[in-house]
Amino acid sequence: MKVRVEITEGCGDACAVIYASAVTEEVQKALELLGAAGTVIAAWEGDTLRIVQPEELYMVRIEGGETLLYGRNQRYRSRKRLYEIAQQLGNRFLQISKTTLVNLSYLDSVEAGFSGTLSLKLKNGCRDYVTRKYLKAFRNYLGI
């Protein structure tokens, strides 16, 4: 991959542009590296690689061995593991189970679940449970 840096006076924020004929492994890795600095996520929507802002995501969940990212009306796939995405997303997201991260900004309601768990509903309609292992951190976030 060829890399070129141009210094322009009065440019403001740095901007990276990748020109490619297709999204290859090398291009995807470059996107992920650049995205880590700017906190964006490279994820697949069908056969198209999309760049997703963390504030667009409501929930990240592992289902059937795949990492799925849920937006308002979209569902994306990622090749990353849950802990890698959690590191990129930062403290706006909280892990509520072994397989799920939620964006706390989109929390709609909390209900008592079975066996001491809590059921969360997000503003896009997604639901999941806070398991007992992650309950203390969630209660601390809510202040209860």
Side-chain angles (χ1 to χ4, degrees):
M1 175 184 288
K2 296 178 185 176
V3 177
R4 186 178 76 203
V5 177
E6 295 179 14
I7 306 299
T8 307
E9 289 186 35
C11 180
D13 290 341
C15 176
V17 178
I18 298 174
Y19 297 99
S21 59
V23 178
T24 62
E25 256 331 286
E26 189 177 41
V27 170
Q28 185 173 353
K29 286 182 181 181
L31 282 170
E32 290 171 358
L33 285 172
L34 290 169
T39 58
V40 294
I41 304 289
W44 295 92
E45 184 178 31
D47 292 335
T48 307
L49 184 66
R50 301 274 185 209
I51 304 302
V52 183
Q53 302 293 326
E55 55 270 7
E56 295 177 54
L57 296 176
Y58 284 64
M59 178 169 57
V60 179
R61 182 189 293 163
I62 305 297
E63 293 179 16
E66 277 193 316
T67 305
L68 300 177
L69 295 84
Y70 291 90
R72 182 177 183 148
N73 298 314
Q74 307 85 1
R75 188 172 88 168
Y76 306 99
R77 288 179 295 110
S78 175
R79 294 186 177 140
K80 292 187 174 188
R81 295 182 174 268
L82 192 65
Y83 76 89
E84 294 171 320
I85 292 177
Q87 288 172 346
Q88 273 190 283
L89 294 174
N91 61 0
R92 186 180 332 180
F93 284 75
L94 183 69
Q95 188 162 0
I96 61 166
S97 70
K98 185 177 177 182
T99 60
T100 307
L101 298 169
V102 294
N103 186 337
L104 299 168
S105 303
Y106 295 118
L107 193 58
D108 187 40
S109 64
V110 179
E111 298 173 5
F114 59 90
S115 301
T117 62
L118 293 176
S119 174
L120 302 183
K121 181 180 176 192
L122 301 177
K123 292 183 180 179
N124 67 346
C126 287
R127 292 181 166 274
D128 210 330
Y129 288 94
V130 180
T131 60
R132 283 193 255 172
K133 179 178 179 179
Y134 298 94
L135 198 56
K136 183 176 181 180
F138 184 74
R139 287 182 187 227
N140 286 342
Y141 169 75
L142 291 180
I144 55 173

